[in-house]
Amino acid sequence: MNNYQGALQKPINSGFNAKSTTEEVIKGIDLVGKIAIVTGGNTGIGLETVKTLSKAGATVVVPARDTEKAKRNLAGIPNIELEELDLANTDSIDKFAEKFLESGRPLHLLINNAGIMWVPLRRDSRGFESQLAVNYLAHFQLTARLWPALKQANGARVVNVSSGGHQFSDFNFEDPNFLNREYETLLGYGQSKTAVNLFSLELDNRAKEFNVRSYALCPGAVGETELSREAPLDLFQKLGYVDSEGNLLPEVKASLKTIPQGAATTVWCATSPLLNDLGGVYCENVDVAELSSDVKIIGGIKAYSLDETHAKRLWKLSEEMTGIAFAFS
């Protein structure tokens, strides 16, 4: 059974909640002999994910654009392999994937965690809007390139870090790159995360016969990450997040998750035995999320993010935009 139109989109009583941490979620899970790749694994929730998987015995490959910074941030964590990767550069993605495939190893966990947000309008060398390019198309390309290793694992998971921000925008098939409409950074972000959700849905449907399952997730609003490093102060003031001095308002601060809480859903999607026979779902607060039909309510997943027609259309468009197809046969 697949999750088109949200057919499987309901909580499964995981026993965890919004306050659960990575330490609680990984308890009793042994990853010795497993190999994971975590993009964006040297900062924020990605770094916490790497620490947790490593502690459970996995070998974790951490690709990074700034390898010197990554080396500092990853110091002291065992079972780590640091590699160079720039998700904004298609050649860099191919080079990284090729190097991993040449090692001949299976890939048990691919965690597509890296992302950008709050950025001004930028385009990559192909003319694609940067949030769509980095948050989605880069991970589509990386997953496609690493497909042989995922298949080889005979029991792999692809975990795509999405966001509740998908509710800012459905995917705009007419103008995905803002060539003919005014650019709004949150519309670009929302569209990129809706794309991540549709990709996770369609990937699971196509990959499950090869024993590869796919998940999308919302980590929640997490403090102390680098995601907002380019955001102008007045944007946060307009949203009511900060005061005139740029300090987080107390009620906003109280609602934020810690980094171990923010990474908990990623780790759960990657490792929970409860998901062995369930894929293509969107998760939040360490459980499968509710399907939300009310566009005004934050939380859950919007129906347009699980639409079968859109998922298949986006897959075809992604192949056309990247020039890459999955070698399923």
Side-chain angles (χ1 to χ4, degrees):
M1 192 173 176
N2 57 54
N3 194 32
Y4 293 134
Q5 319 310 135
L8 305 172
Q9 197 63 49
K10 53 179 182 275
I12 58 172
N13 302 314
S14 68
F16 299 110
N17 56 50
K19 294 191 180 301
S20 297
T21 65
T22 47
E23 189 177 353
E24 293 166 325
V25 168
I26 202 69
K27 197 171 180 184
I29 289 174
D30 182 4
L31 297 178
V32 172
K34 304 292 186 187
I35 300 168
I37 292 174
V38 182
T39 68
N42 69 96
T43 61
I45 62 171
L47 178 56
E48 178 65 22
T49 301
V50 168
K51 287 177 182 173
T52 306
L53 298 179
S54 166
K55 199 172 178 182
T59 296
V60 189
V61 181
V62 185
R65 189 176 66 232
D66 185 342
T67 51
E68 286 307 309
K69 175 186 171 186
K71 200 179 288 182
R72 291 193 300 273
N73 291 353
L74 295 164
I77 306 172
N79 312 322
I80 296 296
E81 295 176 13
L82 180 58
E83 296 290 349
E84 196 171 325
L85 170 64
D86 180 358
L87 287 169
N89 182 321
T90 56
D91 291 339
S92 177
I93 297 169
D94 285 348
K95 192 175 173 185
F96 167 80
E98 194 177 319
K99 184 175 179 182
F100 183 85
L101 293 178
E102 281 173 356
S103 75
R105 295 178 294 174
L107 177 59
H108 303 90
L109 299 173
L110 173 57
I111 300 178
N112 292 319
N113 164 83
I116 57 174
M117 187 182 186
W118 310 104
V119 297
L121 178 59
R122 292 194 188 111
R123 302 190 186 280
D124 70 4
S125 59
R126 302 165 293 184
F128 299 156
E129 187 273 322
S130 66
Q131 292 183 98
L132 181 62
V134 173
N135 295 350
Y136 170 57
L137 290 171
H139 285 123
F140 179 90
Q141 178 180 346
L142 181 63
T143 308
R145 292 302 196 209
L146 290 170
W147 172 250
L150 289 163
K151 187 175 160 185
Q152 185 187 337
N154 192 27
R157 293 186 186 183
V158 178
V159 179
N160 299 305
V161 178
S162 182
S163 168
H166 77 272
Q167 68 185 8
F168 297 144
S169 177
D170 194 351
F171 192 86
N172 189 314
F173 285 97
E174 280 61 55
D175 189 15
N177 291 301
F178 293 87
L179 298 175
N180 303 305
R181 56 181 171 137
E182 188 179 349
Y183 181 73
E184 287 182 35
T185 188
L186 288 181
L187 279 184
Y189 182 73
Q191 173 182 250
S192 75
K193 292 304 185 178
T194 289
V196 167
N197 297 342
L198 291 168
F199 169 56
S200 301
L201 175 70
E202 187 62 21
L203 176 62
D204 189 76
N205 189 53
R206 294 176 185 232
K208 61 188 175 187
E209 67 176 285
F210 302 100
N211 207 6
V212 179
R213 305 308 301 254
S214 172
Y215 309 88
L217 70 102
C218 169
V222 185
E224 300 172 15
T225 74
E226 295 186 2
L227 200 55
S228 61
R229 59 183 173 266
E230 287 198 63
L233 180 60
D234 67 337
L235 189 55
F236 287 132
Q237 287 170 334
K238 279 181 199 165
L239 290 167
Y241 294 168
V242 298
D243 62 21
S244 57
E245 303 295 314
N247 301 308
L248 267 180
L249 295 175
E251 61 271 26
V252 175
K253 197 169 185 177
S255 71
L256 295 177
K257 289 186 178 187
T258 64
I259 285 176
Q261 289 170 340
T265 307
T266 302
V267 172
W268 184 73
C269 287
T271 63
S272 175
L274 293 175
L275 296 173
N276 283 349
D277 300 311
L278 177 64
V281 290
Y282 172 92
C283 302
E284 67 182 357
N285 297 329
V286 203
D287 205 334
V288 178
E290 295 272 8
L291 185 63
S292 174
S293 55
D294 190 335
V295 293
K296 294 174 186 171
I297 293 177
I298 293 173
I301 182 167
K302 305 306 176 202
Y304 58 67
S305 252
L306 295 174
D307 182 88
E308 179 178 4
T309 305
H310 282 193
K312 292 184 185 309
R313 186 179 176 188
L314 178 65
W315 190 280
K316 188 169 182 295
L317 179 64
S318 304
E319 290 182 333
E320 290 167 1
M321 290 176 83
T322 60
I324 292 160
F326 278 71
F328 284 118
S329 54

